[in-house]
Amino acid sequence: MAIQVHPAVEFYSATAKSDEEIRIELAEGKLLDARAFPVVKDTAYDDKSLNIKEYVQDNKLTWNPPSEGEWKVAVSVAVPYRSFYLSDASAEVFLQQLYQRIEDMVGQKAMGKSLAGVFQDEHPPTPRDIYTQELADTFQTMFGYDIARAIPALHFDVGDKTPKYRIDYFDAYLAVVEKTYWKKVYDWTADKNILTSHDNWGRKNIYGHSQGYIDYFRTQRWFSAPGFDDAGQRSLLDRNYYDTKIAASIARLYQRPRVWNEGFHSSGWGRTTNQTLSWLAATYAFGANLYDEHGLYYSLNASTWEHAAPDPHWNQPYWVYYHKISDWVARASYMMSQGQSVADVAVSYPVTSLLADIEKNEIDYNSYMHVSRLIYDDGMDNDIIDDQSIIESVVQNGLLKIREINIRRLFLVLRKPCDYRC
């Protein structure tokens, strides 16, 4: 069985005046839609758009605008593309070729015992443009119209419906990719009783989160031990609050048992044991409760292999004392993973607003984390809360109840410019 070939959406657009003919050569594939939008003050208006699919012949669009003014044409074509995303069958192949091989090597009895977990570093980004019939059907069921109508809004402003089109598209897309990939991996590893973790793309940046995985919470919640890296030589006050807080919040909101620190990338061969424990204590205070070193090098290739140093093991002069560090880590990790952590303040994760925007210059959406750090530095722990959790919450006795969490104060990040203290 091989990875399946599914279509990806090739998108074409062109702008012309009423006396100009529009000609577009199209890739060979399934025509999803061809639509012409009248343009007024740089906005292509969807509510006045025309269906021009009949003008596509032999993979070519030829069309003349019917009236004065400027027109923008958008054409979507599904063309063959090799990807395992949005495919149940392909995800099963992936599980067999990667995760099942782990079990085959170590043996079934080792799973969840001597083999406690698997770390996935820098997972490939999730594409946004795969097209399947299941996606089209899911979209139609969820929103009651054809997914092709929403695609132009992913590329340019189509008027008042732009945010709706964009969010409808991403909601349906994520629903399918969660079911066909992310949750499949989670279910397989949960059945084998092993932890899975990550240090994935988009570090310290919600724009990077979204570029990599569309909605970071909806994809990364399917790791049983959400993770991060706390890299480099920095002071205690400047350790990686951002990514630790995201991972810890996902773990609390979705009842994941561990928050996995894969440190300390690029911190130098001269890093001391005191620095290791001090930096680790800072991330544990932020919410982590499991630790592994970024590097464990069985060979240094005659000192030519220095990627993401250091290795704190037998290549270091303090190796003879390393068991004391390990004992501290084991005790601290156990203690920090017991009971139920309490944070009765939450800050919204504004990815829906980010995804709804065509222009990204109204607000720096990373301001939500500035709010979180201000609250934390004032002595109040807090969670970053995703839209899905807010939607599923209920209000009881003045509290926002989300699964096992009670929120007393919720801070929202607005789409318009606003000082985060307002």
Side-chain angles (χ1 to χ4, degrees):
M1 189 182 295
I3 299 298
Q4 292 187 337
V5 176
H6 286 296
V9 177
E10 288 276 356
F11 182 78
Y12 304 84
S13 67
T15 304
K17 302 291 185 180
S18 59
D19 58 348
E20 299 173 335
E21 183 178 68
I22 293 179
R23 290 176 175 269
I24 304 177
E25 297 285 343
L26 307 173
E28 185 173 349
K30 177 183 178 181
L31 177 65
L32 301 179
D33 199 14
R35 187 161 292 274
F37 303 79
V39 178
V40 180
K41 295 182 179 179
D42 298 325
T43 298
Y45 281 91
D46 171 80
D47 58 347
K48 298 178 180 179
S49 64
L50 306 174
N51 186 334
I52 58 172
K53 290 176 71 172
E54 63 183 290
Y55 295 93
V56 177
Q57 300 291 332
D58 299 324
N59 302 320
K60 182 185 299 182
L61 169 71
T62 305
W63 183 75
N64 290 93
S67 60
E68 293 185 0
E70 187 176 10
W71 288 77
K72 192 177 189 74
V73 165
V75 185
S76 302
V77 180
V79 301
Y81 181 79
R82 191 175 180 85
S83 173
F84 65 82
Y85 283 105
L86 274 69
S87 168
D88 283 304
S90 293
E92 293 294 337
V93 174
F94 172 78
L95 286 170
Q96 288 296 317
Q97 292 184 349
L98 178 61
Y99 286 97
Q100 186 57 50
R101 289 187 66 183
I102 296 173
E103 183 179 34
D104 293 344
M105 290 292 293
V106 302
Q108 187 177 25
K109 292 182 179 179
M111 302 294 278
K113 297 181 176 63
S114 57
L115 180 69
V118 176
F119 189 89
Q120 164 70 61
D121 196 17
E122 299 170 355
H123 193 289
T126 300
R128 300 178 176 212
D129 58 355
I130 306 301
Y131 179 88
T132 66
Q133 190 58 49
E134 181 181 9
L135 173 61
D137 293 342
T138 299
F139 189 97
Q140 183 73 43
T141 299
M142 291 176 67
F143 305 112
Y145 65 99
D146 192 334
I147 191 173
R149 189 66 181 265
I151 291 174
L154 304 178
H155 301 274
F156 55 80
D157 188 352
V158 298
D160 293 340
K161 286 188 176 181
T162 299
K164 172 178 171 51
Y165 282 152
R166 290 174 63 85
I167 295 307
D168 286 355
Y169 178 89
F170 290 124
D171 271 349
Y173 198 93
L174 284 164
V176 176
V177 79
E178 280 186 276
K179 180 184 76 70
T180 58
Y181 176 67
W182 295 99
K183 189 175 183 298
K184 275 185 175 291
V185 176
Y186 175 83
D187 288 344
W188 191 95
T189 54
D191 182 64
K192 306 298 182 180
N193 197 32
I194 60 173
L195 293 174
T196 54
S197 189
H198 65 84
D199 165 33
N200 281 342
W201 298 114
R203 302 177 185 102
K204 300 184 183 180
N205 193 314
I206 190 173
Y207 298 96
H209 284 175
S210 183
Q211 183 179 16
Y213 310 104
I214 305 176
D215 182 333
Y216 200 78
F217 273 74
R218 284 185 65 174
T219 52
Q220 308 312 290
R221 67 182 178 177
W222 296 113
F223 287 92
S224 55
F228 64 96
D229 188 0
D230 180 31
Q233 288 266 2
R234 295 190 305 277
S235 70
L236 278 179
L237 295 178
D238 196 32
R239 299 318 301 180
N240 190 356
Y241 178 86
Y242 193 117
D243 292 325
T244 313
K245 180 55 64 182
I246 289 289
S249 296
I250 294 174
R252 276 203 280 247
L253 288 165
Y254 292 97
Q255 288 93 53
R256 305 302 186 227
R258 293 284 187 162
V259 180
W260 191 315
N261 179 348
E262 181 228 16
F264 294 96
H265 186 292
S266 302
S267 55
W269 282 104
R271 176 174 51 124
T272 66
T273 54
N274 178 62
Q275 286 175 316
T276 297
L277 295 183
S278 297
W279 297 345
L280 189 59
T283 62
Y284 273 38
F286 297 156
N289 60 20
L290 190 151
Y291 166 65
D292 83 279
E293 276 286 346
H294 189 279
L296 170 54
Y297 304 131
Y298 290 94
S299 170
L300 297 180
N301 262 352
S303 297
T304 62
W305 176 243
E306 300 183 34
H307 171 70
D311 171 0
H313 302 91
W314 51 78
N315 295 298
Q316 293 284 6
Y318 53 71
W319 171 241
V320 66
Y321 305 109
Y322 196 78
H323 66 282
K324 295 185 180 294
I325 301 174
S326 295
D327 289 345
W328 183 95
V329 171
R331 292 195 304 272
S333 298
Y334 176 82
M335 179 179 66
M336 296 299 291
S337 60
Q338 302 306 299
Q340 177 67 44
S341 58
V342 176
D344 57 4
V345 178
V347 179
S348 71
Y349 182 75
V351 71
T352 298
S353 293
L354 185 156
L355 290 171
D357 274 350
I358 287 289
E359 299 295 335
K360 301 296 191 295
N361 55 8
E362 288 187 356
I363 185 172
D364 178 6
Y365 287 107
N366 281 307
S367 63
Y368 81 96
M369 192 57 77
H370 300 313
V371 177
S372 174
R373 188 60 192 261
L374 282 173
I375 296 169
Y376 184 89
D377 288 346
D378 202 37
M380 293 177 286
D381 197 7
N382 61 93
D383 283 321
I384 308 301
I385 184 171
D386 61 316
D387 294 307
Q388 189 72 27
S389 295
I390 295 174
I391 290 170
E392 295 177 4
S393 66
V394 295
V395 176
Q396 293 181 357
N397 301 321
L399 299 175
L400 190 67
K401 300 180 72 67
I402 306 164
R403 304 176 190 97
E404 302 299 321
I405 298 174
N406 296 324
I407 302 297
R408 295 182 182 275
R409 295 288 185 271
L410 174 62
F411 290 80
L412 299 174
V413 176
L414 306 179
R415 290 188 66 200
K416 65 181 181 180
C418 175
D419 187 305
Y420 52 71
R421 292 166 293 186
C422 68

mmCIF file of all heavy atoms in Angstrom, residues 285-303:
data_model
loop_
_atom_site.group_PDB
_atom_site.id
_atom_site.type_symbol
_atom_site.label_atom_id
_atom_site.label_comp_id
_atom_site.label_asym_id
_atom_site.label_seq_id
_atom_site.Cartn_x
_atom_site.Cartn_y
_atom_site.Cartn_z
ATOM 1 N N ALA A 285 8.359 26.003 36.651
ATOM 2 C CA ALA A 285 7.471 27.003 37.250
ATOM 3 C C ALA A 285 6.455 27.504 36.235
ATOM 4 O O ALA A 285 5.320 27.850 36.598
ATOM 5 C CB ALA A 285 8.294 28.175 37.789
ATOM 6 N N PHE A 286 6.832 27.529 34.956
ATOM 7 C CA PHE A 286 5.907 27.959 33.905
ATOM 8 C C PHE A 286 4.887 26.865 33.553
ATOM 9 O O PHE A 286 3.888 27.160 32.905
ATOM 10 C CB PHE A 286 6.670 28.332 32.638
ATOM 11 C CG PHE A 286 7.617 29.488 32.779
ATOM 12 C CD1 PHE A 286 8.702 29.613 31.918
ATOM 13 C CD2 PHE A 286 7.436 30.442 33.759
ATOM 14 C CE1 PHE A 286 9.584 30.678 32.030
ATOM 15 C CE2 PHE A 286 8.320 31.515 33.893
ATOM 16 C CZ PHE A 286 9.398 31.627 33.026
ATOM 17 N N GLY A 287 5.180 25.590 33.926
ATOM 18 C CA GLY A 287 4.195 24.544 33.670
ATOM 19 C C GLY A 287 4.726 23.222 33.147
ATOM 20 O O GLY A 287 3.960 22.277 32.985
ATOM 21 N N ALA A 288 6.018 23.112 32.860
ATOM 22 C CA ALA A 288 6.567 21.848 32.369
ATOM 23 C C ALA A 288 6.646 20.820 33.494
ATOM 24 O O ALA A 288 6.686 21.170 34.673
ATOM 25 C CB ALA A 288 7.951 22.073 31.764
ATOM 26 N N ASN A 289 6.698 19.532 33.133
ATOM 27 C CA ASN A 289 6.870 18.499 34.160
ATOM 28 C C ASN A 289 7.568 17.252 33.624
ATOM 29 O O ASN A 289 7.465 16.174 34.210
ATOM 30 C CB ASN A 289 5.536 18.129 34.813
ATOM 31 C CG ASN A 289 4.508 17.598 33.835
ATOM 32 O OD1 ASN A 289 4.848 17.155 32.747
ATOM 33 N ND2 ASN A 289 3.249 17.643 34.231
ATOM 34 N N LEU A 290 8.272 17.391 32.512
ATOM 35 C CA LEU A 290 9.065 16.287 31.975
ATOM 36 C C LEU A 290 10.208 16.896 31.171
ATOM 37 O O LEU A 290 10.035 17.913 30.506
ATOM 38 C CB LEU A 290 8.205 15.382 31.085
ATOM 39 C CG LEU A 290 8.800 14.049 30.625
ATOM 40 C CD1 LEU A 290 7.696 13.017 30.416
ATOM 41 C CD2 LEU A 290 9.599 14.190 29.324
ATOM 42 N N TYR A 291 11.386 16.263 31.237
ATOM 43 C CA TYR A 291 12.578 16.870 30.629
ATOM 44 C C TYR A 291 13.413 15.818 29.908
ATOM 45 O O TYR A 291 13.627 14.717 30.410
ATOM 46 C CB TYR A 291 13.409 17.523 31.733
ATOM 47 C CG TYR A 291 14.819 17.895 31.354
ATOM 48 C CD1 TYR A 291 15.064 18.870 30.394
ATOM 49 C CD2 TYR A 291 15.911 17.295 31.982
ATOM 50 C CE1 TYR A 291 16.370 19.234 30.067
ATOM 51 C CE2 TYR A 291 17.207 17.649 31.665
ATOM 52 C CZ TYR A 291 17.427 18.605 30.703
ATOM 53 O OH TYR A 291 18.708 18.966 30.378
ATOM 54 N N ASP A 292 13.855 16.175 28.693
ATOM 55 C CA ASP A 292 14.931 15.421 28.069
ATOM 56 C C ASP A 292 15.860 16.378 27.363
ATOM 57 O O ASP A 292 15.457 17.430 26.884
ATOM 58 C CB ASP A 292 14.382 14.367 27.093
ATOM 59 C CG ASP A 292 14.064 14.936 25.727
ATOM 60 O OD1 ASP A 292 12.989 15.541 25.577
ATOM 61 O OD2 ASP A 292 14.893 14.807 24.823
ATOM 62 N N GLU A 293 17.141 15.999 27.342
ATOM 63 C CA GLU A 293 18.144 16.839 26.705
ATOM 64 C C GLU A 293 17.976 16.826 25.192
ATOM 65 O O GLU A 293 17.597 15.805 24.613
ATOM 66 C CB GLU A 293 19.545 16.342 27.048
ATOM 67 C CG GLU A 293 20.073 16.848 28.362
ATOM 68 C CD GLU A 293 20.481 18.305 28.289
ATOM 69 O OE1 GLU A 293 20.605 18.843 27.172
ATOM 70 O OE2 GLU A 293 20.666 18.916 29.359
ATOM 71 N N HIS A 294 18.300 17.954 24.573
ATOM 72 C CA HIS A 294 18.203 18.034 23.113
ATOM 73 C C HIS A 294 19.165 17.070 22.439
ATOM 74 O O HIS A 294 18.837 16.483 21.404
ATOM 75 C CB HIS A 294 18.482 19.461 22.640
ATOM 76 C CG HIS A 294 18.193 19.665 21.188
ATOM 77 N ND1 HIS A 294 19.071 19.297 20.193
ATOM 78 C CD2 HIS A 294 17.109 20.163 20.551
ATOM 79 C CE1 HIS A 294 18.546 19.579 19.022
ATOM 80 N NE2 HIS A 294 17.360 20.103 19.203
ATOM 81 N N GLY A 295 20.349 16.891 23.007
ATOM 82 C CA GLY A 295 21.343 16.053 22.348
ATOM 83 C C GLY A 295 21.843 14.925 23.231
ATOM 84 O O GLY A 295 22.041 15.101 24.426
ATOM 85 N N LEU A 296 22.015 13.761 22.638
ATOM 86 C CA LEU A 296 22.711 12.639 23.271
ATOM 87 C C LEU A 296 23.517 11.981 22.158
ATOM 88 O O LEU A 296 22.993 11.232 21.347
ATOM 89 C CB LEU A 296 21.735 11.645 23.888
ATOM 90 C CG LEU A 296 22.314 10.309 24.368
ATOM 91 C CD1 LEU A 296 23.469 10.531 25.344
ATOM 92 C CD2 LEU A 296 21.234 9.445 25.007
ATOM 93 N N TYR A 297 24.798 12.311 22.108
ATOM 94 C CA TYR A 297 25.619 11.924 20.966
ATOM 95 C C TYR A 297 26.484 10.717 21.314
ATOM 96 O O TYR A 297 27.340 10.781 22.196
ATOM 97 C CB TYR A 297 26.510 13.094 20.542
ATOM 98 C CG TYR A 297 25.747 14.354 20.227
ATOM 99 C CD1 TYR A 297 26.115 15.583 20.767
ATOM 100 C CD2 TYR A 297 24.638 14.306 19.396
ATOM 101 C CE1 TYR A 297 25.395 16.736 20.465
ATOM 102 C CE2 TYR A 297 23.918 15.450 19.087
ATOM 103 C CZ TYR A 297 24.301 16.661 19.629
ATOM 104 O OH TYR A 297 23.590 17.796 19.340
ATOM 105 N N TYR A 298 26.249 9.606 20.625
ATOM 106 C CA TYR A 298 27.071 8.426 20.848
ATOM 107 C C TYR A 298 28.452 8.612 20.246
ATOM 108 O O TYR A 298 29.409 7.974 20.655
ATOM 109 C CB TYR A 298 26.371 7.198 20.260
ATOM 110 C CG TYR A 298 25.143 6.812 21.026
ATOM 111 C CD1 TYR A 298 23.886 7.282 20.642
ATOM 112 C CD2 TYR A 298 25.232 6.016 22.161
ATOM 113 C CE1 TYR A 298 22.753 6.936 21.357
ATOM 114 C CE2 TYR A 298 24.108 5.667 22.878
ATOM 115 C CZ TYR A 298 22.868 6.134 22.475
ATOM 116 O OH TYR A 298 21.748 5.802 23.192
ATOM 117 N N SER A 299 28.555 9.477 19.249
ATOM 118 C CA SER A 299 29.850 9.789 18.660
ATOM 119 C C SER A 299 29.861 11.254 18.247
ATOM 120 O O SER A 299 28.841 11.775 17.800
ATOM 121 C CB SER A 299 30.122 8.908 17.434
ATOM 122 O OG SER A 299 31.264 9.367 16.732
ATOM 123 N N LEU A 300 30.985 11.910 18.426
ATOM 124 C CA LEU A 300 31.124 13.311 18.012
ATOM 125 C C LEU A 300 31.841 13.435 16.678
ATOM 126 O O LEU A 300 32.195 14.538 16.254
ATOM 127 C CB LEU A 300 31.871 14.107 19.073
ATOM 128 C CG LEU A 300 31.172 14.184 20.433
ATOM 129 C CD1 LEU A 300 32.001 14.992 21.401
ATOM 130 C CD2 LEU A 300 29.803 14.783 20.282
ATOM 131 N N ASN A 301 32.083 12.306 15.999
ATOM 132 C CA ASN A 301 32.754 12.349 14.700
ATOM 133 C C ASN A 301 34.051 13.148 14.764
ATOM 134 O O ASN A 301 34.261 14.090 14.001
ATOM 135 C CB ASN A 301 31.825 12.952 13.640
ATOM 136 C CG ASN A 301 31.131 11.911 12.802
ATOM 137 O OD1 ASN A 301 31.434 10.730 12.897
ATOM 138 N ND2 ASN A 301 30.195 12.355 11.990
ATOM 139 N N ALA A 302 34.897 12.771 15.707
ATOM 140 C CA ALA A 302 36.182 13.465 15.892
ATOM 141 C C ALA A 302 35.977 14.963 16.075
ATOM 142 O O ALA A 302 36.701 15.793 15.517
ATOM 143 C CB ALA A 302 37.128 13.174 14.723
ATOM 144 N N SER A 303 34.943 15.298 16.852
ATOM 145 C CA SER A 303 34.619 16.687 17.193
ATOM 146 C C SER A 303 34.099 17.505 16.024
ATOM 147 O O SER A 303 34.044 18.733 16.082
ATOM 148 C CB SER A 303 35.828 17.403 17.812
ATOM 149 O OG SER A 303 36.180 16.786 19.030
#
